[in-house]
Amino acid sequence: MASSELEKRPGSVVDPHDEPSVEWGWHGTFPKGIRIAGWLTAVAMLLMLIGNHRGRIEDIYLIATAAVIVGALLWDRIRSRTAWRR
C-alpha cells in the first residue's frame, strides 16, 4: 500500500526539536565548500605578505597560519582517500 506522505524513519537518533533539518531529510555539511574556502583563505593569507609593512613579525604569523591551514587541508584529503579501507 503506497502512501502519499513521506515516511519518517523509525528510531531517529537525533531529536527534531534539537535539529529540525533531520525531519525533512537533510542533515550534513558542505565538504567541497569548506575545502574551497580553506584554500582561498590560505592563498589570501599569503597574498597579505605583499604590502607596505616594515616589520617581519607579521610575515611569520601569516606564513604559519597559512601553513597550518594547508596542512589541515592535506590531512583531510589523505583521510578522505583512505576512508574506504576502514
Side-chain angles (χ1 to χ4, degrees):
M1 173 188 278
S3 175
S4 62
E5 294 182 25
L6 294 175
E7 296 178 11
K8 293 183 180 180
R9 293 182 186 175
S12 177
V13 178
V14 180
D15 187 19
H17 294 295
D18 294 334
E19 298 180 24
S21 64
V22 79
E23 194 168 294
W24 48 271
W26 181 83
H27 190 73
T29 61
F30 297 103
K32 286 186 181 180
I34 291 171
R35 290 180 188 125
I36 291 170
W39 284 110
L40 290 175
T41 303
V43 168
M45 299 292 273
L46 294 175
L47 286 175
M48 286 186 215
L49 293 172
I50 304 169
N52 60 354
H53 52 273
R54 293 183 182 184
R56 294 295 172 203
I57 297 298
E58 60 268 15
D59 291 348
I60 294 170
Y61 284 105
L62 288 171
I63 292 169
T65 305
V68 168
I69 292 171
V70 168
L73 289 167
L74 292 175
W75 177 76
D76 181 55
R77 179 144 185 155
I78 292 169
R79 188 177 55 105
S80 68
R81 280 187 179 177
T82 59
W84 62 273
R85 295 181 190 169
R86 294 181 194 158

